[in-house]
Amino acid sequence: LLDLAVLLVRRWLVTTDEADQGLLLLELVGCLRENAQVDEAIALLQDRVWSHPDDRVCWAEYVDCLDAIGDDERKAAALGTWAGFARGFEQAQLFRQQVLLLVDLDQPEAAAAAIIAARQASGDDTFLADLLPAVRIAAVAHSVDEPVVDKPVVVEAERPVASQVADDVPATRGDV
């Protein structure tokens, strides 16, 4: 491992191409993971994604490493940060993963905040509408000791989708 790491670092030092540096980093990360040094891999990847936020492959590897060590808190944060840099379908999927993970972590307020962040980032949250019941259920379950259900962040997360659903339902006349 040490010989390979030295070789990769030497190649890195003479490489000015950003994409090549990313590929070399991924090779090194793979070696670190194979040798159960995931924390070191995470540190390298974290530096890379912050300095090159458009490097989708490194983001994916970073999230995968966090998943490998079971650090769901940091994984949820990483998904939200990555989603902020992503666009379109990729962004929608990342926000969905983050919201579902936050619900699994019993953090309904954070899940609701992620829905609001998705709305602000994309201008649309219809791709998250089906997740609102899960957030609401988590909020109710979580509110045994503390009333989370009516906290402003949960109410705000539900508001736009609820109003869109109401707008989509045709008005009925009382005399029919």
Side-chain angles (χ1 to χ4, degrees):
L1 174 67
L2 183 59
D3 292 337
L4 181 58
V6 169
L7 174 67
L8 291 172
V9 169
R10 283 185 182 154
R11 286 178 44 199
W12 180 304
L13 292 173
V14 297
T15 301
T16 57
D17 185 294
E18 298 283 331
D20 286 346
Q21 286 179 349
L23 292 174
L24 290 171
L25 175 69
L26 288 171
E27 285 183 48
L28 181 57
V29 164
C31 292
L32 290 169
R33 289 186 73 175
E34 285 176 18
N35 289 285
Q37 297 181 15
V38 180
D39 289 332
E40 289 81 5
I42 289 171
L44 290 171
L45 288 164
Q46 186 173 359
D47 289 344
R48 175 70 181 185
V49 297
W50 280 111
S51 63
H52 298 82
D54 59 334
D55 192 335
R56 296 163 56 200
V57 177
C58 283
W59 271 110
E61 188 68 21
Y62 178 55
V63 168
D64 191 51
C65 283
L66 293 171
D67 188 52
I69 64 168
D71 193 341
D72 290 339
E73 298 274 338
R74 284 177 53 196
K75 180 181 173 185
L79 286 167
T81 303
W82 182 11
F85 293 118
R87 296 290 169 257
F89 181 75
E90 179 183 41
Q91 182 182 56
Q93 291 305 310
L94 293 167
F95 275 125
R96 286 182 66 78
Q97 288 177 41
Q98 181 192 30
V99 169
L100 288 171
L101 183 55
L102 290 168
V103 167
D104 286 346
L105 291 171
D106 193 28
Q107 296 181 15
E109 284 185 83
I115 290 174
I116 294 168
R119 180 180 313 125
Q120 292 170 345
S122 69
D124 180 20
D125 65 356
T126 55
F127 59 90
L128 296 172
D130 62 315
L131 299 181
L132 282 172
V135 172
R136 186 78 168 158
I137 289 168
V140 169
H142 190 73
S143 65
V144 174
D145 297 327
E146 180 184 350
V148 173
V149 177
D150 296 322
K151 288 207 172 183
V153 69
V154 175
V155 172
E156 176 63 25
E158 290 180 330
R159 183 171 291 122
V161 174
S163 67
Q164 288 173 1
V165 170
D167 292 343
D168 291 342
V169 176
T172 57
R173 298 179 69 191
D175 57 352
V176 177

